[in-house]
């Protein structure tokens, strides 16, 4: 069983003792911030380069970012982060965002994730997006289709019809 390290803070705090908060005002990845997207792209390129530098009896190691459920046990080893993530909580899975850190909508998430070098992660990358049902219940979240169907804004999915 995992043990929490003594002396590791549950949340990150400034010197004056105030909680750092969510970090949303500091350019969190997933909000289509150009500088943050560039940093994330550079970090993922570094990770791919590092993994590909190793060889095994089967050949060159290949990277992938699709932990599916590995984010939960890995999170038990990570302390609090400046982003507002509390210590020992699950990490975001794959290239997904921590819940509540995306404030500019799903389009901004997709734009940010598009800056990652997916072609370098030949085993794949995983992006999970959880959409509140209310987002699809108004004209701001759906588009009427000429044939009377309701066309979802994500990947051309149909809502409310079978064919």
């Amino acid at each position: 069983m995992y043990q929490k390290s003594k002396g590791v803070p549950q949340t990150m705090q400034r010197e004056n003792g105030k909680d750092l908060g969510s970090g949303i005002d500091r350019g969190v990845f997933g909000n289509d911030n150009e500088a943050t997207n560039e940093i994330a792209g550079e970090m993922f390129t570094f990770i791919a380069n590092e993994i590909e530098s190793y060889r095994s009896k089967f050949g060159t190691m290949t990277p992938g970012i699709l932990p599916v459920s590995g984010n939960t046990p890995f999170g038990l080893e990570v302390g609090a982060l400046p982003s507002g993530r509390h210590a020992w909580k699950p990490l975001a899975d794959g290239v997904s965002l921590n819940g509540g850190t995306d404030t500019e909508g799903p389009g901004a998430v997709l734009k940010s994730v598009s800056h990652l070098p997916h072609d370098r992660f030949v085993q794949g990358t995983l992006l999970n997006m959880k959409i509140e049902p209310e987002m699809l219940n108004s004209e701001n979240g759906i588009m009427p289709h000429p044939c009377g169907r309701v066309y979802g804004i994500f990947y051309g999915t149909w809502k409310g019809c079978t064919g």
Side-chain angles (χ1 to χ4, degrees):
M1 191 68 190
Y2 296 95
Q3 290 184 320
K4 296 178 183 175
S5 303
K6 292 183 179 181
V8 176
Q10 292 284 330
T11 61
M12 295 291 288
Q13 295 182 344
R14 297 183 178 154
E15 289 182 14
N16 62 8
K18 290 187 177 179
D19 191 16
L20 278 175
S22 66
I24 291 171
D25 61 334
R26 292 181 287 283
V28 173
F29 179 72
N31 291 306
D32 195 25
N33 176 289
E34 186 176 336
T36 306
N37 292 343
E38 185 176 321
I39 291 168
E42 290 174 9
M43 288 174 54
F44 276 76
T45 298
F46 172 82
I47 291 166
N49 289 341
E50 184 65 22
I51 291 170
E52 291 170 347
S53 73
Y54 293 95
R55 309 279 185 266
S56 75
K57 66 180 181 178
F58 303 108
T60 303
M61 302 294 282
T62 57
I65 306 209
L66 47 136
V68 183
S69 61
N71 59 308
T72 300
F74 292 153
L76 293 173
E77 298 295 325
V78 178
L81 298 176
S83 64
R85 180 194 161 275
H86 291 273
W88 309 293
K89 300 293 182 195
L91 297 170
D93 56 339
V95 297
S96 304
L97 305 155
N98 281 319
T101 59
D102 56 321
T103 60
E104 301 302 315
V109 171
L110 294 173
K111 287 169 122 181
S112 287
V113 170
S114 74
H115 285 80
L116 303 179
H118 296 279
D119 60 323
R120 297 289 306 279
F121 293 86
V122 296
Q123 291 187 26
T125 57
L126 169 71
L127 171 64
N128 279 328
M129 292 178 62
K130 292 155 183 76
I131 308 296
E132 292 288 331
E134 295 81 34
M135 283 187 68
L136 302 175
N137 289 336
S138 71
E139 287 188 22
N140 292 331
I142 57 176
M143 300 181 301
H145 192 270
C147 66
R149 297 176 179 161
V150 178
Y151 187 68
I153 60 172
F154 300 104
Y155 305 111
T157 57
W158 292 102
K159 180 180 182 232
C161 65
T162 57

